[in-house]
Amino acid sequence: MQIDLTADWSVDGTVRITFARSTAIGRGALMAITDVAAYTHLTSEDVREFGDRLDEIKRSVEHDLGERDARYIRNLIRIQRTFEVGARLVLLDSGRKSSWWLGTGLLFLSKVIENMEIGHNVLHGQWDWMNDPEIHSSAWEWDHPMPAAHWKKAHNYQHHVFANVIGMDPDEGYGLLRVTRDRRWRPYHLGNAVYVVPISMLYEFGMCIYHLEIPKVVAGRKDSQELRGAGVEILRKASRQLFKDYVAFPALSTRNWKSTIRANLAANVAKNSWEQIVTFCGHFPDGAEKFTRRDLATETRGEWYLRQFLGSANFPSGPVGRILTGSLGYQIEHHLFPDVPSNRLPDVARQVRDLAEQYGLPYTSRSIVVQYLLTLRTIVMLSLPDRFLGLDAESATG
């Protein structure tokens, strides 16, 4: 591990020593970055200019938005709804094995597209510029047990604003997994690798429970009344989702109701597992850095951009793969510009990669398989106390 040390002289003559961690590719899960500028070796002028250049990229996209972008999201919604209706009709005959597999597959595609490329991105406000009351972040309610209002607070604000900041980003380990050594090891972390399985299968419900922030209520840092109100809202929404998938539609299948329940369960588990893989690959593999909250109060626009850039990781995907991953194969660009329409991210990515090269910044991008394997390695490695770990992943057990 390489350590950079800088000294800043203050007006009273004291010296502030800053350690900015720097690691080579393939040596992840070490320590959080305490000073983004020092880590990147950029001057304050470079950081400001970097932010200005990114602002220019965003403005150029916003000025070019038009009918082809609106057509993209409207057509995608039509396709998703066609998949869902087709799945429900095919599953009326779910007792037949071929119908079960076809219906389950169509339902999986429908749910993935609705949750990821449509719901997630609509709720980010990516299509608000259209002023379409049906496709607007203030009105959209997605096919998910977590109410849209809860998601926008937990995801759009807490996660995106404080991405990968230890103690601020709720998605950093989801309060259960240890994904960085900056988290003090606890005995329950021995089950780190085991927890991935239920998190994967019940991903959407896990988000609902975690974002209730029950530990904060227990610690007296959150009003119990607020917890009860949020719990009722989640219970109401989740109940509707469960009723739809496991009562209403199976009932329409009459004598095939049991196989329809199994089909819905399979589609939901597959969707949850896929979403967990995609999400983990964007924030937990090597190269997706973690940060401290020490300098948040004085963070400039350019430094915020740098933190979003360094805290994310990409994986390449084709046009179909992009839709099935909610365009989160462009996680770096999504975190830089969360409200830029997802269909524009491939073009934006080319500009961001060029910009990163100009400023000597690491652009983390590997195949989704490699990213997920690196993530699993980190999760397994960090199930152990620090005394069993080396300075890098290769000597983790040395």
Side-chain angles (χ1 to χ4, degrees), residues 159-317:
H159 169 58
H160 270 269
V161 174
F162 305 108
N164 279 17
V165 177
I166 307 299
M168 298 288 287
D169 181 1
D171 286 10
E172 179 260 311
Y174 303 98
L176 181 63
L177 296 175
R178 188 178 185 230
V179 295
T180 172
R181 297 191 198 194
D182 296 276
R183 281 290 180 193
R184 181 180 299 176
W185 184 87
R186 303 291 187 189
Y188 71 83
H189 287 132
L190 288 170
N192 228 29
V194 177
Y195 305 146
V196 172
V197 177
I199 286 176
S200 176
M201 297 177 66
L202 302 171
Y203 192 60
E204 58 186 358
F205 291 101
M207 286 192 292
C208 292
I209 296 172
Y210 176 66
H211 289 300
L212 284 174
E213 299 180 315
I214 296 174
K216 286 187 178 181
V217 176
V218 175
R221 292 184 285 117
K222 183 174 180 178
D223 186 4
S224 59
Q225 283 293 110
E226 184 181 350
L227 170 65
R228 279 193 287 271
V232 169
E233 292 172 358
I234 288 176
L235 185 60
R236 187 180 298 125
K237 178 75 187 297
S239 296
R240 288 200 298 268
Q241 294 295 114
L242 292 170
F243 179 82
K244 177 192 70 174
D245 278 347
Y246 301 114
V247 178
F249 282 112
L252 294 177
S253 299
T254 59
R255 58 191 174 88
N256 294 318
W257 65 273
K258 288 184 180 180
S259 53
T260 299
I261 287 178
R262 288 195 295 271
N264 278 271
L265 181 62
N268 281 322
V269 169
K271 181 209 71 169
N272 285 336
S273 300
W274 177 243
E275 290 182 0
Q276 177 258 329
I277 290 171
V278 171
T279 303
F280 277 28
C281 287
H283 292 295
F284 297 155
D286 295 11
E289 306 293 352
K290 309 298 184 293
F291 308 88
T292 67
R293 46 182 155 182
R294 193 191 66 179
D295 294 329
L296 284 181
T298 59
E299 186 175 64
T300 66
R301 177 67 169 167
E303 290 169 341
W304 184 87
Y305 271 135
L306 277 175
R307 179 163 56 79
Q308 301 297 329
F309 178 89
L310 295 170
S312 305
N314 282 8
F315 52 85
S317 60

Side-chain angles (χ1 to χ4, degrees), residues 1 22 31 35-36 68 99 127 204 214 228 238 380 382 388:
M1 182 175 70
S22 175
M31 295 185 67
D35 190 311
V36 171
R68 73 183 178 100
S99 296
W127 309 98
E204 58 186 358
I214 296 174
R228 279 193 287 271
V380 171
L382 294 180
F388 294 108

Side-chain angles (χ1 to χ4, degrees), residues 309-362:
F309 178 89
L310 295 170
S312 305
N314 282 8
F315 52 85
S317 60
V320 175
R322 181 179 62 78
I323 292 172
L324 294 180
T325 58
S327 297
L328 294 181
Y330 299 100
Q331 189 74 249
I332 293 173
E333 290 71 28
H334 174 60
H335 264 264
L336 291 172
F337 313 118
D339 55 353
V340 164
S342 58
N343 64 310
R344 292 300 190 108
L345 293 185
D347 290 335
V348 170
R350 284 187 282 272
Q351 299 178 66
V352 171
R353 185 187 282 270
D354 289 343
L355 194 61
E357 186 175 342
Q358 293 174 37
Y359 285 87
L361 298 173

Side-chain angles (χ1 to χ4, degrees), residues 28-47:
L30 292 178
M31 295 185 67
I33 294 173
T34 61
D35 190 311
V36 171
Y39 175 80
T40 57
H41 302 287
L42 297 180
T43 66
S44 57
E45 178 62 24
D46 289 335
V47 174

